[in-house]
Amino acid sequence: MPLIETRNLTQRRDGQTILKNINLRVERGEVYALIGPTGAGKTTLLRLIDILDTPADGKVFFNGVDVNSSDKIRLETRRRMAFVLQKPVVFNTSVYENIAYGLRWRGVDSRHIREGVEGILETVGLTMYKHRNARTLSGGEVQRVAIARAIAVRPEVLLLDEPTANLDPVSASKIEDLIAGIIKRETITVIMATHDMSQGQRLADRIGVLVNGEMVQSGDPREIFASPGNRQVAEFVGMENIIDGVVASSEGEVAAIDINGRIIEAVTEFDVGEAVSVCMRPEDITVALSRISSSARNSLDGKITWTVATGPLCRVEIDCGFPLVALVTRRSSEEMGLKKGKDVYATFKAVSIHVIRRH
Amino acid sequence: MTEIWNGLVKAVELIISFDPEVMQIAGRSLLIAVSSAVIGSAICIPLASIIHFNKFRGKRFLVSLIQTFYSVPTVAVGLFVFVFISSAGPLGGLGILFTPPAIVVGQVILITPILLGLTISALNSVDRTILDTARSLGAGGWQMAVLVVKEARFAVMAAVIMGFGRAISEVGISLMVGGNIRGFTRVITTAISLETSKGDIELAMALGIILIIIALVVNIVMNRIQQR
């Protein structure tokens, strides 16, 4: 039996459906990441799981029990979970008191509260701020207090909503390390929302992709990253090249796909005549000044239409009869003299192409 | 003009020399107004929480009604209390007419709308995320109400001080249900009214100055609280 299960969970606001028929199963001890763009419904789903809102339709089950069956069950179930909100707020009191609140509300005696809070303060590195008013802390420190406050109650399920979204890179990295530490140390089930695909990959056992209130794909992080199920997921996981074409011929697992009269070969099981979209990551495309001999089955000539340097890499846009984006190192770009109007060859393997059905 | 100046000088002398009558009247006024503010708060803060945390039909109307009574005339409250506690009234058996408790009852009724209305506003001003955080941490109904009152404590304290200010400065209730009995129910406002009509400007002025000092202190405290 899954620890958390949602069945046809639907939420509406102002006449608009913001979450559609979500069927989610999260096992005990699992780390599940909900990823998706801003406004996809991640926070709405977490709020429904934490019973902060009532769904318009569908049910949430905690260990097989319908969480909305009575006020008593609602409170009892909520006390087995903890939720760190996207923009956490602290109570207008000391850091210590902030962390102690959840325990006090559960009727824990003062000795155990003191021991528990002291231990957690050490875990999150806030011992020196123990007596300080939590409202005077920085964004990263407030996030630490919020996480400390949540784990202090030893929840079976920890819900995290964009835990690093509002932080500078250094604080974000510290918070991510803290979460990773908690996941490793505690036997805890975690459901976290993030718009950062790579964070989901780093922390989660499983990922669900939410787009426009619908769960469009769910599975192993590597699988979602490598084989997005549709165009929306592909866009979200960083497939910058999504080009429409038609399967022209097929031989075994390798198919020839016609894109504006240019043929590229890809590994796919789609039938001849099917309208498809070809997805490629910019880093999988090699740029050369002449056709190179390699095992890659695709080498297309084209003209550079735009180059832009971003840090150590250079982004090159090539017109091969269709636009293609490639990433090369800045050094290679300088050595080859890559610039607008230059004729180049774009080379990529059939296996680095992911083909999805076009709707 | 000389009369006013002389009155002012004598009034200051009465205050500086801790004149027994002036101090007694001022002390009684403070005691009655503080009692009213404390009893009023004990009733109104939980009641405001109940109104704030519950959804019911006519809630907005009720809040508007409470706000309408902010400026209820003190003589109207005095008359209302008088009718109830006079010997022919339904609560006449209590025998509290023309006693300090009668003034407290009247003042509590007078400041209830202010305390209720301002406390509801104070609770409304608490960020919704605080409520979500408390619920997600497992707070039950009363635990959440206590937390929200704590979060709004400065605004709630400002409401209490406003109530105290209204109580200590009213004259209608003290006069009608207190009776302005010397040494028993005479408070600053009723004494000023009486002494002025008798022509004892010095005593009236001394009490007036004390009342203004109290108002000033209340104002300073309020400003300090609101700046936090």
Side-chain angles (χ1 to χ4, degrees):
Chain A
M1 186 193 298
L3 186 59
I4 297 278
E5 185 181 4
T6 70
R7 283 188 210 153
N8 298 321
L9 202 62
T10 299
Q11 185 65 307
R12 294 185 195 95
R13 195 178 298 145
D14 303 327
Q16 294 232 314
T17 305
I18 49 173
L19 211 58
K20 295 169 209 158
N21 294 320
I22 304 293
N23 290 295
L24 179 73
R25 289 166 72 93
V26 180
E27 302 296 331
R28 191 179 285 276
E30 196 175 19
V31 179
Y32 191 93
L34 286 166
I35 65 163
T38 308
K42 305 185 294 288
T43 302
T44 306
L45 180 53
L46 288 180
R47 288 181 65 89
L48 289 174
I49 292 171
D50 198 43
I51 336 172
L52 290 178
D53 297 327
T54 312
D57 217 342
K59 285 185 188 304
V60 178
F61 294 90
F62 188 101
N63 219 8
V65 177
D66 178 1
V67 298
N68 282 304
S69 47
S70 74
D71 280 345
K72 189 168 174 271
I73 288 176
R74 257 193 288 274
L75 181 62
E76 280 173 5
T77 311
R78 213 185 279 126
R79 285 185 172 174
R80 295 169 72 178
M81 300 191 270
F83 186 13
V84 178
L85 304 174
Q86 185 174 1
K87 284 182 189 158
V89 288
V90 283
F91 305 132
N92 193 2
T93 182
S94 67
V95 169
Y96 180 95
E97 284 300 316
N98 261 274
I99 300 170
Y101 259 114
L103 295 167
R104 210 162 274 147
W105 285 332
R106 282 161 177 77
V108 177
D109 64 76
S110 52
R111 190 173 65 85
H112 284 101
I113 290 177
R114 198 172 52 247
E115 284 169 8
V117 175
E118 304 273 356
I120 300 275
L121 278 168
E122 211 171 302
T123 306
V124 299
L126 285 175
T127 306
M128 67 275 213
Y129 296 140
K130 185 172 147 182
H131 300 298
R132 201 159 132 183
N133 187 305
R135 291 260 164 99
T136 63
L137 299 177
S138 71
E141 288 158 353
V142 164
Q143 188 68 286
R144 276 164 187 270
V145 173
I147 292 172
R149 199 167 50 185
I151 58 171
V153 298
R154 298 206 158 268
E156 288 171 62
V157 178
L158 178 63
L159 304 165
L160 300 163
D161 191 2
E162 303 272 12
T164 57
N166 306 307
L167 303 176
D168 61 88
V170 176
S171 303
S173 161
K174 282 182 182 171
I175 293 293
E176 198 179 300
D177 289 347
L178 175 65
I179 295 167
I182 293 165
I183 293 168
K184 270 185 215 154
R185 264 193 318 274
E186 319 263 335
T187 352
I188 196 167
T189 307
V190 178
I191 304 177
M192 63 180 290
T194 177
H195 66 263
D196 181 351
M197 174 67 201
S198 56
Q199 186 174 65
Q201 273 191 306
R202 284 193 295 273
L203 297 173
D205 301 319
R206 238 165 16 107
I207 283 179
V209 187
L210 263 180
V211 179
N212 293 330
E214 284 182 272
M215 188 72 84
V216 288
Q217 197 173 353
S218 179
D220 180 77
R222 271 168 301 179
E223 179 192 318
I224 289 177
F225 195 63
S227 315
N230 63 29
R231 194 184 182 102
Q232 289 164 316
V233 182
E235 281 171 357
F236 189 72
V237 299
M239 295 279 193
E240 273 197 72
N241 297 298
I242 304 175
I243 309 141
D244 294 340
V246 176
V247 179
S249 64
S250 179
E251 199 177 309
E253 284 188 339
V254 179
I257 298 166
D258 184 339
I259 302 169
N260 290 347
R262 304 291 302 254
I263 296 292
I264 64 165
E265 289 184 26
V267 177
T268 177
E269 289 172 353
F270 286 111
D271 293 330
V272 174
E274 268 204 87
V276 292
S277 292
V278 168
C279 307
M280 275 177 282
R281 292 183 184 281
E283 57 268 33
D284 289 337
I285 298 169
T286 307
V287 180
L289 296 177
S290 58
R291 194 182 291 275
I292 48 171
S293 130
S294 74
S295 63
R297 296 182 75 106
N298 300 292
S299 191
L300 305 173
D301 59 309
K303 205 179 269 298
I304 293 176
T305 55
W306 186 251
T307 61
V308 59
T310 49
L313 296 172
C314 186
R315 197 181 133 94
V316 184
E317 290 180 22
I318 308 160
D319 180 8
C320 306
F322 53 86
L324 208 57
V325 178
L327 273 182
V328 296
T329 61
R330 203 169 184 165
R331 196 169 157 192
S332 298
S333 168
E334 282 165 7
E335 281 171 6
M336 287 190 285
L338 299 183
K339 60 181 183 189
K340 189 178 174 183
K342 187 134 184 148
D343 290 320
V344 290
Y345 283 87
T347 305
F348 44 94
K349 290 183 169 185
V351 288
S352 67
I353 299 171
H354 178 66
V355 184
I356 53 177
R357 180 175 280 116
R358 180 150 49 102
H359 293 287
Chain B
M1 195 69 194
T2 323
E3 198 184 29
I4 295 174
W5 178 249
N6 289 342
L8 203 63
V9 171
K10 282 199 175 169
V12 172
E13 278 173 13
L14 283 173
I15 296 169
I16 293 171
S17 65
F18 291 100
D19 176 76
E21 189 171 9
V22 170
M23 292 302 126
Q24 195 190 52
I25 293 171
R28 188 178 303 115
S29 280
L30 273 174
L31 185 67
I32 290 175
V34 166
S35 304
S36 303
V38 169
I39 294 169
S41 303
I43 297 167
C44 293
I45 294 171
L47 198 59
S49 304
I50 290 169
I51 295 170
H52 173 74
F53 283 105
N54 287 288
K55 284 180 188 161
F56 54 89
R57 265 173 93 97
K59 183 172 172 174
R60 285 178 76 142
F61 175 74
L62 178 66
V63 174
S64 298
L65 196 68
I66 290 167
Q67 287 167 347
T68 307
F69 279 96
Y70 278 7
S71 51
V72 62
T74 56
V75 284
V77 178
L79 176 66
F80 175 79
V81 177
F82 184 88
V83 168
F84 266 78
I85 63 173
S86 63
S87 54
L91 300 174
L94 293 174
I96 58 166
L97 186 62
F98 303 134
T99 64
I103 305 176
V104 172
V105 169
Q107 287 185 351
V108 167
I109 293 172
L110 178 74
I111 65 172
T112 288
I114 292 175
L115 280 174
L116 265 184
L118 294 182
T119 307
I120 291 170
S121 297
L123 300 182
N124 272 333
S125 68
V126 172
D127 190 349
R128 241 201 92 78
T129 322
I130 289 279
L131 302 186
D132 285 341
T133 305
R135 284 171 72 202
S136 73
L137 282 169
W142 273 109
Q143 290 167 333
M144 200 145 82
V146 171
L147 175 84
V148 171
V149 171
K150 271 189 184 172
E151 287 294 303
R153 58 188 178 271
F154 299 123
V156 172
M157 268 163 71
V160 174
I161 289 170
M162 283 283 281
F164 167 78
R166 178 111 163 99
I168 201 160
S169 60
E170 69 80 25
V171 63
I173 296 165
S174 302
L175 205 59
M176 292 173 79
V177 300
N180 197 20
I181 302 165
R182 190 175 186 185
F184 187 48
T185 58
R186 184 162 296 173
V187 291
I188 295 177
T189 51
T190 56
I192 291 173
S193 168
L194 180 75
E195 300 306 329
T196 308
S197 62
K198 272 165 54 185
D200 189 354
I201 299 293
E202 293 89 354
L203 184 58
M205 273 193 166
L207 291 168
I209 290 168
I210 291 176
L211 198 58
I212 288 167
I213 291 170
I214 292 171
L216 194 70
V217 170
V218 165
N219 222 334
I220 290 168
V221 173
M222 271 254 302
N223 278 332
R224 280 283 175 92
I225 287 171
Q226 279 167 349
Q227 278 164 10
R228 292 182 83 162

